[in-house]
Amino acid sequence: EAEAWAGSLDDINVSTLPVIRVGNRIRSSLYGTTHQVLLFLPKENGGYEILSCVAKRPWTMAELYANVPSKVSAFEEQQSESAFDELTPPEPWEVDYNAKSVRRYWEVEIHCNKKFQQKKELYDRLQMQALS
């Protein structure tokens, strides 16, 4: 399945893809992390339009196995460095449970963002009709 997906990328001009430069972490939670980013959008006539944005992403499985959410939480609570040593690696069932929670959180997040976009498009259409 992965090979079929990768094969479909052959016809994509990489120079037309946006580039993201991840900056400082703003905040992290049990579900993921939020960073300042710069989004470089290629212009048709060359060069880039640069947008300052906020980007969110869920924790990866590797991060969940490495107990990153707990380490970030301990860091933010300004616990001593020995607190990191006291953190025990999570059991596989805990990682699976956390991964399901993270996935559900992001599914809801995506759903809400789609609804916001739909509502914005509706308001934009209504505004255009009112101006006509």
Side-chain angles (χ1 to χ4, degrees):
E1 186 176 339
E3 289 175 8
W5 180 82
S8 66
L9 297 177
D10 292 339
D11 59 342
I12 294 178
N13 180 353
V14 177
S15 66
T16 63
L17 295 176
V19 175
I20 295 176
R21 173 152 301 170
V22 179
N24 294 331
R25 183 175 61 85
I26 296 171
R27 183 175 183 282
S28 296
S29 70
L30 295 175
Y31 304 107
T33 185
T34 305
H35 292 261
Q36 295 174 332
V37 299
L38 292 176
L39 179 61
F40 296 81
L41 300 171
K43 293 182 179 179
E44 287 185 22
N45 59 353
Y48 290 91
E49 176 183 1
I50 303 172
L51 302 173
S52 179
C53 305
V54 172
K56 298 171 77 173
R57 70 166 180 83
W59 295 119
T60 65
M61 288 298 286
E63 289 168 326
L64 291 174
Y65 273 108
N67 218 6
V68 171
S70 296
K71 291 175 182 176
V72 169
S73 178
F75 173 77
E76 288 181 346
E77 293 171 10
Q78 296 183 343
Q79 295 178 359
S80 66
E81 284 188 31
S82 64
F84 295 134
D85 298 332
E86 295 169 9
L87 293 172
T88 58
E91 296 290 331
W93 67 267
E94 291 175 296
V95 173
D96 289 341
Y97 177 82
N98 291 339
K100 287 177 184 172
S101 297
V102 168
R103 181 181 187 90
R104 180 69 184 133
Y105 173 86
W106 286 95
E107 286 171 349
V108 170
E109 182 96 2
I110 290 167
H111 172 77
C112 290
N113 282 313
K114 285 180 180 176
K115 290 291 185 185
F116 291 143
Q117 184 62 32
Q118 290 170 353
K119 189 157 270 201
K120 181 187 178 308
E121 289 169 2
L122 174 63
Y123 286 141
D124 289 347
R125 274 187 272 144
L126 291 173
Q127 188 176 20
M128 291 300 288
Q129 288 175 356
L131 295 174
S132 299

